[in-house]
Amino acid sequence: MVNKESFVKQIYEDWGENPQSEVCVAILDYLLCSNSRNISHITYGSLRQVVGSAYSTSDILISVQYLCGDRTHLLDTKFELIENDYGIDISNSELKIAHKTGQLVHPETGELISNFEEKVYIYFQPSSLVKSII
């Protein structure tokens, strides 16, 4: 078990008085909130609401990247293909191949999706580490 205070200390050691410290702590608080413990689909928009309008898009994106990284690993990055208001998870390896070839193979139908960049969206999930924080 890891405690919240050790993460907060680490965040401030890494970011000091930069806005990323406050953004990361706000997201950490959100992840640890009892109402949020079962959330498995976190979008940039939901993080923007958590953090508020006082921070720039850049501050939030840098903070999210940090929280997805090896140093803290509080968030897992996920991707989904959205068609007709229906989302299908896309693995990192599928997306990597799509970027190399310029086409995404639909995971259910096997059809090629040539304009996949317009239909694939990023989202985040709390990492397994979040559940062990007290």
Side-chain angles (χ1 to χ4, degrees):
M1 291 275 184
V2 183
N3 64 27
K4 175 187 169 185
E5 289 75 27
S6 65
F7 275 100
V8 172
K9 181 180 176 190
Q10 179 179 313
I11 289 166
Y12 277 97
E13 284 174 0
D14 291 345
W15 292 105
E17 295 302 315
N18 291 308
Q20 287 78 18
S21 292
E22 296 298 322
V23 172
C24 288
V25 170
I27 293 172
L28 175 61
D29 286 341
Y30 170 71
L31 294 173
L32 298 178
C33 173
S34 61
N35 294 341
S36 300
R37 285 286 187 168
N38 295 320
I39 292 177
S40 62
H41 196 276
I42 303 168
T43 64
Y44 171 78
S46 62
L47 292 176
R48 168 53 88 184
Q49 287 180 331
V50 166
V51 173
S53 60
Y55 301 98
S56 71
T57 298
S58 177
D59 291 336
I60 296 171
L61 291 176
I62 290 168
S63 300
V64 169
Q65 183 178 11
Y66 170 78
L67 294 173
C68 291
D70 290 337
R71 179 96 164 118
T72 57
H73 194 233
L74 294 176
L75 292 172
D76 289 328
T77 305
K78 302 289 185 177
F79 299 95
E80 66 182 340
L81 170 68
I82 298 180
E83 290 186 309
N84 303 321
D85 294 329
Y86 176 69
I88 303 166
D89 282 341
I90 303 294
S91 71
N92 290 347
S93 60
E94 288 172 313
L95 194 56
K96 191 174 189 176
I97 291 169
H99 282 294
K100 283 184 181 178
T101 64
Q103 295 182 321
L104 177 67
V105 176
H106 194 287
E108 292 181 352
T109 66
E111 295 176 8
L112 292 179
I113 303 170
S114 57
N115 60 342
F116 70 91
E117 292 95 348
E118 298 171 9
K119 298 178 181 180
V120 173
Y121 296 88
I122 190 170
Y123 71 98
F124 307 96
Q125 288 182 334
S127 71
S128 57
L129 181 60
V130 171
K131 293 178 180 140
S132 69
I133 299 174
I134 55 171

